Amino acid sequence: MAIEIIPEWMAALEEEDISFIKNFVLASGSLKEMAKHYGVTYPTVRLRLDKLIQKINISDDYAEEPYVALIKRMAVNDRLDFDTAKILISEYKKSKRGEKK
């Protein structure tokens, strides 16, 4: 019996993200093929890939700054606008600097 080890960055992804990654690999990384597969335009697939890259980068930040990662994840998932996210992160970091003094 094989022991499954799922990297943290992958465990943080939604099922549709994992499916997108699988299809991307099966399409040999071709965004053009992905666009055909999903019946959307190339820029739509590119945007989806960019959001997925952001999600993976955010999950890498999570261990160090879980609050900041949560705010970033909410912005990437369109649950919070980017300007508000920037303000929240900025204020959080200011408060953290104040604690260290």
Side-chain angles (χ1 to χ4, degrees):
M1 180 192 281
I3 298 174
E4 289 188 40
I5 300 174
I6 300 172
E8 285 186 41
W9 67 266
M10 188 175 274
L13 298 176
E14 297 171 13
E15 193 168 323
E16 69 182 49
D17 296 327
I18 303 293
S19 177
F20 183 89
I21 291 170
K22 178 183 177 184
N23 290 327
F24 185 69
V25 171
L26 293 173
S28 299
S30 169
L31 295 180
K32 186 177 178 181
E33 288 299 314
M34 291 291 287
K36 283 182 192 175
H37 175 78
Y38 285 104
V40 296
T41 64
Y42 177 94
T44 301
V45 173
R46 181 71 239 185
L47 180 63
R48 177 76 176 98
L49 181 60
D50 289 342
K51 283 192 171 200
L52 184 55
I53 290 167
Q54 288 176 331
K55 286 182 180 184
I56 292 169
N57 286 332
I58 289 167
S59 70
D60 287 344
D61 295 341
Y62 183 77
E64 194 168 311
E65 291 284 349
Y67 178 78
V68 172
L70 171 65
I71 297 300
K72 288 179 179 179
R73 195 167 45 251
M74 289 176 72
V76 168
N77 290 328
D78 296 324
R79 293 186 180 149
L80 188 66
D81 67 86
F82 281 103
D83 290 334
T84 303
K86 287 179 189 177
I87 292 168
L88 290 172
I89 291 169
S90 174
E91 291 301 316
Y92 173 74
K93 287 183 176 181
K94 283 180 192 174
S95 73
K96 293 288 282 182
R97 284 192 298 266
E99 289 176 7
K100 292 180 182 179
K101 290 182 180 181

